[in-house]
Amino acid sequence: GHCGRDEPADASQGRYAKLATQRLTKANKDVQGLGWPENTEDKVILEKDSNDEYNLPEMRVGLSSEVEIISIRPTGKDASLLVTRRGDHLVWRDDSISTGTPWIKAFDDDLEVTRILLLPFEWLPDHLANYVAMRAARAFFPNVMKEDLGGSMQKQMVGRELIAAYLEAKTQAEQHKAQTQRVNLLDTDEAL
C-alpha cells in the first residue's frame, strides 16, 4: 500500500532507512564524543616524526583502520600545553611569539595525550550501543515516523515510550561509566 503520500511503501521505507542510518551515525558520534572508559585512551605517548611534527600517522599510532579519532588533548606533563588538531596535524600555541601566528607545528618533546576514539558501532558494549540506538530513535521518531502513525493517542504513547527508553539507556550508560571510571577520590567535590 501507501504510506499516506503519493509514494509507494518501498520507496518510503528506503527513505526511512537512509534517514535512520543518518540519525544513528550522528548519535554514535555524539555519544562517543562524550568520552567513555571504553573509547578513551589515557597516557598515550605520541612520538614526533622526522620534522618534529605530529601528523595523522603519529596521532593514530596503535589504532586499527576501523577506528577514528574524535579528539586529542594533552595530559600529564603536557596538560598545560594548548594543543589543537588542524586537519591531519597537531599544532600548539606558543605565546612567546610576538608577531605572526602563535600556532606552530614543531614540538620540542614527545607528547602525552588522552585520545577519545570513535569506535565502530558493532564494537560498542551493550550499554553504549543501547544508549546510541535510543538517542537515534528519539531523534528519528518525531521528525519522520510520527507522520505515519495513526491517531494522536498512539503518537503520544510511542513518544513517551521512546523518551522513557532513552532516559533508561542514558542512565545505565552513565552508571556503568561511574562504576568503571578510574577516579582519584582526592579529586572529588566531596574530598575538596
Side-chain angles (χ1 to χ4, degrees), residues 47-60:
E47 295 181 8
K48 302 174 293 177
D49 67 11
S50 58
N51 296 319
D52 291 336
E53 297 176 5
Y54 296 105
N55 294 305
L56 204 51
E58 291 79 33
M59 287 185 264
R60 292 191 51 81

Side-chain angles (χ1 to χ4, degrees), residues 22 31 62 66 85 103 110 113 122-123 128 137 151-152 175 191:
Q22 290 171 351
V31 168
E66 300 97 342
R85 182 174 170 183
W103 293 99
D110 290 342
V113 299
E122 306 79 44
W123 292 15
L128 280 182
S152 63
Q175 286 175 345

Side-chain angles (χ1 to χ4, degrees), residues 20-133:
T21 300
Q22 290 171 351
R23 297 297 195 288
L24 187 63
T25 300
K26 181 178 181 338
N28 189 32
K29 188 164 189 174
D30 289 348
V31 168
Q32 289 196 54
L34 297 172
W36 302 85
E38 295 84 356
N39 75 327
T40 301
E41 295 181 341
D42 298 317
K43 299 180 181 177
V44 175
I45 304 296
L46 302 182
E47 295 181 8
K48 302 174 293 177
D49 67 11
S50 58
N51 296 319
D52 291 336
E53 297 176 5
Y54 296 105
N55 294 305
L56 204 51
E58 291 79 33
M59 287 185 264
R60 292 191 51 81
V61 68
L63 299 179
S64 68
S65 61
E66 300 97 342
V67 175
E68 294 178 38
I69 299 172
I70 295 175
S71 68
I72 291 179
R73 75 172 182 274
T75 55
K77 67 177 179 53
D78 299 316
S80 63
L81 284 179
L82 185 51
V83 174
T84 190
R85 182 174 170 183
R86 289 193 176 168
D88 288 347
H89 57 268
L90 294 179
V91 294
W92 68 283
R93 185 179 177 98
D94 182 355
D95 287 325
S96 69
I97 296 176
S98 57
T99 60
T101 180
W103 293 99
I104 57 177
K105 286 197 231 178
F107 286 76
D108 292 333
D109 299 309
D110 290 342
L111 189 63
E112 182 178 328
V113 299
T114 293
R115 291 190 294 204
I116 296 180
L117 307 176
L118 180 61
L119 304 175
F121 180 78
E122 306 79 44
W123 292 15
L124 296 181
D126 290 345
H127 62 277
L128 280 182
N130 193 31
Y131 181 20
V132 168

